[in-house]
Amino acid sequence: MRQLQYNEALNEALIEEMTRDEKVILIGEDVGAYGGVFKVSKGLLERFGPERIRDTPICESAIIGTATGAALMGMRPVAEISFIDFILLAMDQIGNHVAKIMQIAPGLLELPMVIRTEGGVGGGIGCQHSQSLEALFAHLPGLKIVMPSTPYDAKGLLKTAIRDNTPVMCIENKKLYALKGPVPEEEYFVPIGKADVKREGKDITIIATSFMVHEALKAAEALEKDGISAEVVDPRTLVPLDVDTLVASVKKTARALVVHEAVERCGIGAEISAVLNEKAYDYLDGPVLRHAGLNVSLPQNWHLEPVCIPSADSIREKVKSILG
Amino acid sequence: MVNAKELLTVAKSLPVDPELFRGLFRQILEVRLFEEETIQLFHSAKIIGYLHPSIGNEAAEVGATAGLAKADIIFPTHRGHGFFVARGASFEKLMAELMGKEAGYCKGRSGDLHMVAPEVGIMQVQGILGSQLPQAVGTGVAHQCQKNGRVTLCAFGDGAAGNGTFHESLNLASIWKLPVVFFCVNNGWAASFPFTKSTSAATNAIRAVGYSMPGYDVDGTDVWQVYCTVKEAAERARAGGGPSLIQANTVRWRGHDPSDTAPYRPKEELETWDLHDPVRIARKQALDRKLLSEADIEKLKGEIGKKIAQAVEWGLAQALPARADYLAEVSGKF
Ligand SMILES: Cc1ncc(C[n+]2csc(CCOP(=O)(O)OP(=O)(O)O)c2C)c(N)n1
């Protein structure tokens, strides 16, 4: 199958949806001539013009608010916030409005908007450009949240998100943009709310998100040499969470470890662990454990980064300590 | 159409003080040579992560710093090494910090984007554009309560001025008559977005009128003009006259950072950068005013070059923070 980079797959999703539907517009910083900080909107200004590809000044709150207003009038805006850290400036718009408008006016208003953003540690760029803040948004009922880990999922989920009539956040990871993977030429969609078993196994379920899926897969491969068969499940969507797939996996393995890059405390791992505790307690041979980012403000220091987030090696060690 | 010029304030031009001007020239040169070195270090992967060189902003940073008193506070921008240099920060500790070494200003944990040097009155660099403005207002509140006679200079880019914090902060500083000088460095660009497209005013300085404070639009490549303007604004603030807004216009050298090739920039603009090069301009001013000779300048370059080379050598010899020590220090603490 054809190989595409993660950012190319997202770019293709935008092109296809913008070609199909004139209501789809793009709003964000450096999304025009520059083609986006991570090159997701490359070539779109030339193709669709400045009315649909809107470069903004530095005004995150206004970017989200503007997208909201446009969506209220039936447009399908895709707002880009290049680093999830900057979304904190738009927290009122997202938390008090985007997540709530449809519930305030049940059946009266639709809000077909997508917020694309990214998180993750990488390259030594410090605490205000490396956070993984997905859990903040999972705490706001009214937002769907997808976190694609592969080019295939990225394209399929973004297309589904754009066609959804409710607000969807698509949270990417800076370490994924250059990742290559198979992406079919023909049109396809990935459903929101459906997890994906990325690798089958029988001794333990590793539930990993975003870039950590790849670290978990590497760890699973290495664990094979240790005689451990690990299953790797990628929820792909955090809200709504595909509880059935997670429970089915745990039923099979009786052990679960949740891995994410976000800091451990109140991360999505806490929610997943609680859900498994409630729904899969009878099948578990031990507690659901977490292996996540250190509870710390990330130093701007490439040398210290590995201490702050999980890696294939640390996941492997953690699994061995659980099953050892 | 409103005539922008009529709304602006122009600072009284002070006669050039030879001794002071020579000092400013030296600092401009220091910033330039320092940044040329950091760019080299970035390309040879001795500085890893972000780097936002001050090239193009030297005169603005040096002139603004000179217009303040020693005890005054500065909030630099993310492109703000020049403020550190102009305040006499240690080249060794600056280089070490940029290299991520334990001996740096922030134990190698803050780097280019979050550096802070309280020992020379410099508050933290912000990785979030515009967040320094309300904090600067807060320092103004403290100066007022403490009656300490201090002033805060809050620097920010033309891009950062797009954020709501700009407007909220100016309003607050004005209603409370706080001793704050808002210093917008307009280098023409915010990453790939030009000032002319991002800003609905001919200059941010006009916006001062709406917040009932003086607005100055100055040539940020002319160190003496910047100095006179900041001095006037700082003295007004110190005397209880409230805040001012200054826009210092400069030209950004090349890309946003050393890895940006800036394909979006018009060729003519890049080709005419020399005309806006603060070092060339200050050099010509120094020579024309007979404040320095060619030989003096060469000697100065040699001296500064040596000082920077020593700082680099020292920085390179320093240790990275030990991972185990770091882990032990932060685990379970936050
Ligand atoms: C709130 C926020 N939005 C976006 C960014 C990304 N960003 C970093 S620097 C920059 C351009 C800044 O332009 P300006 O303020 O004019 O300063 P300059 O870099 O030109 O010196 C952008 C968009 C950021 N760091 N913070």
Side-chain angles (χ1 to χ4, degrees), chain B residues 118-311:
Chain B
E119 68 183 40
V120 291
I122 300 200
M123 291 295 186
Q124 70 276 15
V125 175
Q126 305 277 357
I128 302 295
L129 297 168
S131 296
Q132 68 273 41
L133 282 97
Q135 294 175 17
V137 170
T139 62
V141 169
H143 299 331
Q144 202 172 54
C145 293
Q146 295 168 0
K147 302 191 175 36
N148 62 15
R150 288 161 106 177
V151 170
T152 291
L153 180 118
C154 178
F156 52 98
D158 49 296
N163 238 321
T165 50
F166 170 73
H167 303 278
E168 296 170 35
S169 303
L170 264 71
N171 189 49
L172 210 46
S174 179
I175 60 173
W176 287 340
K177 272 198 174 295
L178 297 175
V180 179
V181 178
F182 295 99
F183 189 69
C184 177
V185 184
N186 167 29
N187 64 359
W189 292 88
S192 75
F193 208 44
F195 174 79
T196 48
K197 284 192 181 170
S198 72
T199 312
S200 54
T203 161
N204 277 304
I206 302 182
R207 298 193 153 139
V209 178
Y211 297 106
S212 310
M213 64 176 82
Y216 301 85
D217 184 79
V218 301
D219 178 353
T221 66
D222 180 345
V223 70
W224 197 254
Q225 200 184 338
V226 175
Y227 162 73
C228 295
T229 309
V230 170
K231 193 172 161 61
E232 182 172 303
E235 281 174 3
R236 175 184 305 111
R238 211 181 304 285
S244 307
L245 171 62
I246 301 168
Q247 176 170 299
N249 301 297
T250 68
V251 173
R252 193 181 80 192
W253 181 68
R254 304 197 190 169
H256 175 67
D257 58 33
S259 50
D260 173 19
T261 54
Y264 49 84
R265 270 185 90 169
K267 229 174 102 211
E268 317 78 69
E269 202 184 286
L270 291 166
E271 281 167 359
T272 55
W273 190 79
D274 275 1
L275 300 175
H276 309 281
D277 173 355
V279 172
R280 270 178 170 254
I281 292 168
R283 185 176 188 279
K284 185 164 183 313
Q285 289 169 339
L287 292 173
D288 288 354
R289 289 170 184 156
K290 307 226 176 324
L291 302 174
L292 289 164
S293 68
E294 299 266 8
D296 292 336
I297 294 174
E298 282 314 301
K299 187 160 156 267
L300 211 50
K301 262 190 185 164
E303 271 173 42
I304 299 167
K306 217 163 116 196
K307 195 174 145 195
I308 290 171
Q310 276 167 1

Side-chain angles (χ1 to χ4, degrees), chain A residues 46-110:
Chain A
E46 292 79 351
R47 202 186 266 250
F48 300 107
E51 198 170 289
R52 294 182 68 196
I53 305 295
R54 291 185 179 246
D55 250 331
T56 69
I58 295 157
C59 53
E60 288 75 13
S61 178
I63 291 171
I64 302 299
T66 309
T68 308
L72 284 170
M73 296 304 293
M75 301 299 284
R76 290 186 170 272
V78 177
E80 175 178 306
I81 302 288
S82 51
F83 292 79
I84 201 166
D85 315 75
F86 311 161
I87 269 196
L88 296 182
L89 281 85
M91 220 43 188
D92 165 59
Q93 289 296 333
I94 299 177
N96 288 324
H97 307 282
V98 176
K100 296 184 171 48
I101 283 173
M102 290 183 68
Q103 299 174 62
I104 289 170
L108 300 177
L109 299 171
E110 285 189 333

Side-chain angles (χ1 to χ4, degrees), chain A residues 24-62:
Chain A
V24 181
I25 58 171
L26 201 63
I27 304 177
E29 291 163 21
D30 300 301
V31 296
Y34 194 62
V37 172
F38 296 103
K39 299 289 165 237
V40 172
S41 54
K42 194 173 161 194
L44 298 194
L45 177 65
E46 292 79 351
R47 202 186 266 250
F48 300 107
E51 198 170 289
R52 294 182 68 196
I53 305 295
R54 291 185 179 246
D55 250 331
T56 69
I58 295 157
C59 53
E60 288 75 13
S61 178

